[in-house]
Amino acid sequence: MLLMSLAWGSDWAELQLSEDRFTDLIAAELERAATGCAVTGLGAGTLSMDCGGGEQKVVYLDSLWASWEADAEGREANVAAWVSAVVAPAAEPSKADPAQLMPVVRGSGFLEAVAPLGEPLYDPLAADYVVFYALDLPDRVQFLSVDDLDELGMSHDQVRARALENLGLIEVEVVGSGPIYVLSAGGTYEASLLAAAPFWEELQQHSGAPVVAVAPTRDMVFFTFSERRRVRRRMERTAGQLYEQGAYVVSPTMLVLTDDGWQPL
């Protein structure tokens, strides 16, 4: 395909790439495909597109990176299809399906990353954890700004309630035999589950002990009911390492569930 050969040469699909280098190359492809748009990196696997006129969006490459590694023969077609989908016009909130609304838990540092999109629509969760609200579209997660509320015809409270309702519909698996457990929910919304208060309250009622949890990355949540210091320290060390080394980082801060919700441990 001409688009790909312009950027990477005829043997681009044979390249062995780090995720950082892959992100750089995809950024170049997006700029070629989206004339007049500036694409900048927000870390491995995350890009920001500024197309002027207030049209800005954050783009995640996790699905594309996964297909790149898993399907060598289909790389060219997968990248071309993905780029075409991303440069398509953004969804208009007024035409969005409320079933696409989701809460997205990130660290407070992400506020700066989404600031170019307008005043972010978000709620503090606990410590440096923040709940953003977004549309879960087939090709990307489109974060919402306060200005989008009028287009949606919904209040902040209504968006929050519907997003949390949608979050409650995803399938969640608790992995592990203790004392430390991991949540599995498809790889995108694990950290967001920290916002699902009923889920954690039910776990705590069954355990009879406080839940301690941490989400170092968006796809990794550790939790324990153990009050042993060595168990909590082991979980904290592991979370810290993932936060330092991982992509899509959230926070290394340990949280404990109280009657007033999550609190820093």
Side-chain angles (χ1 to χ4, degrees), residues 31-250:
E31 285 197 337
R32 290 175 185 275
T35 304
C37 293
V39 181
T40 55
L42 299 177
T46 308
L47 299 171
S48 174
M49 292 184 65
D50 182 353
C51 298
E55 183 184 350
Q56 296 172 308
K57 58 187 176 184
V58 176
V59 180
Y60 293 103
L61 311 185
D62 55 328
S63 61
L64 184 61
W65 173 246
S67 69
W68 173 273
E69 291 196 303
D71 183 11
E73 293 184 359
R75 284 175 174 175
E76 183 174 357
N78 290 338
V79 171
W82 186 91
V83 169
S84 296
V86 170
V87 300
E92 296 180 25
S94 60
K95 298 179 182 179
D97 183 349
Q100 296 173 318
L101 288 169
M102 290 293 285
V104 181
V105 171
R106 292 290 185 271
S108 57
F110 197 66
L111 282 165
E112 183 178 349
V114 296
L117 307 177
E119 183 182 351
L121 187 64
Y122 74 95
D123 292 305
L125 180 61
D128 55 344
Y129 291 86
V130 177
V131 184
F132 297 89
Y133 298 97
L135 295 173
D136 186 355
L137 304 175
D139 59 296
R140 64 188 181 275
V141 175
Q142 183 173 317
F143 287 86
L144 297 175
S145 71
V146 172
D147 292 340
D148 290 325
L149 291 174
D150 288 339
E151 292 295 327
L152 283 166
M154 301 174 74
S155 68
H156 189 146
D157 289 343
Q158 288 172 326
V159 168
R160 180 193 304 112
R162 184 55 190 270
L164 291 174
E165 179 184 339
N166 294 340
L167 179 66
L169 298 177
I170 68 174
E171 185 175 346
V172 182
E173 180 182 2
V174 175
V175 181
S177 56
I180 297 174
Y181 303 89
V182 177
L183 290 184
S184 175
T188 301
Y189 291 107
E190 280 80 358
S192 298
L193 290 166
L194 288 176
F199 173 81
W200 297 100
E201 290 166 358
E202 183 177 355
L203 280 179
Q204 186 151 290
Q205 287 174 0
H206 284 301
S207 71
V211 180
V212 174
V214 61
T217 63
R218 76 172 187 181
D219 60 351
M220 185 64 66
V221 175
F222 298 105
F223 70 94
T224 186
F225 305 110
S226 176
E227 298 184 66
R228 295 179 180 177
R229 185 177 302 177
R230 64 178 180 83
V231 172
R232 293 181 176 184
R233 283 181 175 174
R234 177 156 57 93
M235 191 166 78
E236 185 176 31
R237 285 196 302 270
T238 303
Q241 291 169 356
L242 288 173
Y243 180 79
E244 291 297 327
Q245 301 170 5
Y248 313 111
V249 296
V250 179

